[in-house]
Amino acid sequence: MRKVYTHAKLVTMATDVYASDGYSCQDNQSIAVEDGKIVALGHDAEVLDWPSQSLNGKLVTPGFIDSHTHLVFAGNRAGEFEQRLNGVPYQTIAAQGGGILSTVKATRAASEATLLELAVPRANALIRDGVTTIEIKSGYGLTLEDELKMLRVAKSIDQHLPVNVSTTLLAAHALPPEYRNDADSYIDFVCHTMIPAAAEQQLADAVDVFCENIAFSVEQAERVFAAANAHGLKIKAHTEQLSDLGGSVAAAKAGALSVDHIEYLSEADVQVLAEYDTVATLLPGAFYFLRETQQPPIAALRESRVPMALATDFNPGTSPFASLTLMMNMASTLFGLTPKENLYGVTRHAAQALGLSHKGQIAVGFDADLAVWDCETPAELSYMVATAPLLGRIVNGDWYDEQGVRG
Ligand SMILES: [Zn+2]
């Protein structure tokens, strides 16, 4: 498959976010793609005698990458949301079987076909917002069979929609009821049975842990990281969301690609992320939905030049938002990120957070995953919400219109 896309206003993200001031937009550029890769840009692309398609001078960015979602699940928590707003205490809701374990119960009971049917429209919502790659975590099964079931569903989404999928085993998300008061035994099971099975069946690219007082300790997280490393899987971690336990430092030292949430990360520990080149993933949807007030250490992250990624954390309990452009707006309004930092956060830095070194930039040798926007400037992507500026996406070199229909 060979094609030249012409008349594009390119925002390449090919320079370090901290290295230059502007976006370095380039008008009237051509992009040659072959077998899903960008093979030439500019004049080198124009001289090729290949089939061509004009992008009409529109703004073209790398396809957006949502590097942190939990979009495979059954049931929803709208009833709980309503109860809380009617003044029912969280303890009462939890005692009635609410909270994360209600999602676990519904997900365990659902077939693969049902889970897929529920997941596809959620993935489609992300796609209509410019996404070309989605990371999807397990974590609502918490048994070997149900975690692998979630991963199989996640992995199959790319057979139903034009999108790339990256999968993460998050068996250490919550303590399953079967292991009540015995978290160490569950972690043994995760390390000795679940991680090896996910690796052997090639169902997961990475392993994640929720390291928090209400979930797993730093010591338990470190055992999971070691098992992931032993089986050749990448590492990601939910850390410092509700308190400062030191999970981010432990994850960085174990070679984690990213640490996610990090509202309670100390400024001193930001240095460690810089030292290990760990991505700091900000999740403003959960911050907003939980009405959190502790801000992530943005100034220190900038000072230390830590790459910041931005993701939806799409999940039924704490971030029911399937829109990366909404997250970009929230990152600016809640955390003070600039529109440029947001754009890096959903492209180049998101690719780094998934270890996808061939995605997230428009450059020769990179994957031909692009988003085409009805915008004059990149800042508009962070500014106005739900105005659907997406004109189309190029996924693995092929054109899809804003509805995801192949052209
Ligand atoms: Zn999450």
Side-chain angles (χ1 to χ4, degrees), residues 68-70 137 170 173 208 238 260-261 283 313 315 318:
H68 182 145
T69 85
H70 306 250
K137 301 176 195 295
L170 177 58
H173 191 197
D208 196 336
H238 288 64
D260 301 30
H261 287 292
L283 305 171
D313 192 17
N315 79 77
T318 61

Side-chain angles (χ1 to χ4, degrees), residues 106-335:
T107 304
R108 284 180 177 180
S111 67
E112 281 186 43
T114 300
L115 287 174
L116 180 66
E117 205 174 294
L118 292 167
V120 163
R122 297 170 192 150
N124 227 338
L126 291 170
I127 283 172
R128 286 195 299 268
D129 213 28
V131 168
T132 54
T133 298
I134 308 176
E135 185 259 14
I136 304 172
K137 301 176 195 295
S138 66
Y140 297 122
L142 311 182
T143 65
L144 175 64
E145 201 178 299
D146 291 307
E147 286 292 300
L148 298 182
K149 173 178 78 176
M150 287 186 72
L151 292 173
R152 278 193 299 270
V153 171
K155 260 191 115 64
S156 71
I157 286 173
D158 66 3
Q159 290 153 37
H160 302 271
L161 293 172
V163 71
N164 302 292
V165 173
S166 181
T167 53
T168 301
L169 175 71
L170 177 58
H173 191 197
L175 190 60
E178 297 79 8
Y179 284 86
R180 194 171 290 137
N181 302 322
D182 197 7
D184 277 321
S185 297
Y186 180 61
I187 292 296
D188 283 341
F189 183 66
V190 170
C191 294
H192 299 138
T193 305
M194 294 166 107
I195 290 174
E200 201 212 335
Q201 295 177 39
Q202 298 186 332
L203 288 173
D205 302 301
V207 172
D208 196 336
V209 184
F210 185 20
C211 182
E212 193 52 70
N213 286 318
I214 58 164
F216 298 99
S217 69
V218 173
E219 187 275 329
Q220 289 162 342
E222 283 173 330
R223 288 164 56 203
V224 175
F225 299 152
N229 276 329
H231 287 88
L233 298 176
K234 300 166 191 167
I235 296 170
K236 301 173 73 63
H238 288 64
T239 49
E240 271 72 63
Q241 181 187 6
L242 307 169
S243 59
D244 184 5
L245 291 190
S248 300
V249 167
K253 289 183 174 172
L257 292 168
S258 74
V259 290
D260 301 30
H261 287 292
I262 63 161
E263 282 88 339
Y264 286 80
L265 182 68
S266 73
E267 293 191 9
D269 288 345
V270 167
Q271 297 299 328
V272 181
L273 302 192
E275 201 179 312
Y276 287 87
D277 202 22
T278 311
V279 174
T281 300
L282 305 174
L283 305 171
F287 177 94
Y288 161 87
F289 197 75
L290 295 172
R291 304 171 76 169
E292 179 56 75
T293 53
Q294 172 79 27
Q295 292 266 336
I298 304 294
L301 291 164
R302 280 183 185 134
E303 178 91 2
S304 300
R305 301 195 160 204
V306 173
M308 292 184 277
L310 197 57
T312 61
D313 192 17
F314 183 54
N315 79 77
T318 61
S319 191
F321 307 114
S323 165
L324 263 184
T325 52
L326 175 61
M327 295 306 113
M328 293 165 79
N329 182 274
M330 284 187 183
S332 289
T333 54
L334 300 173
F335 300 157

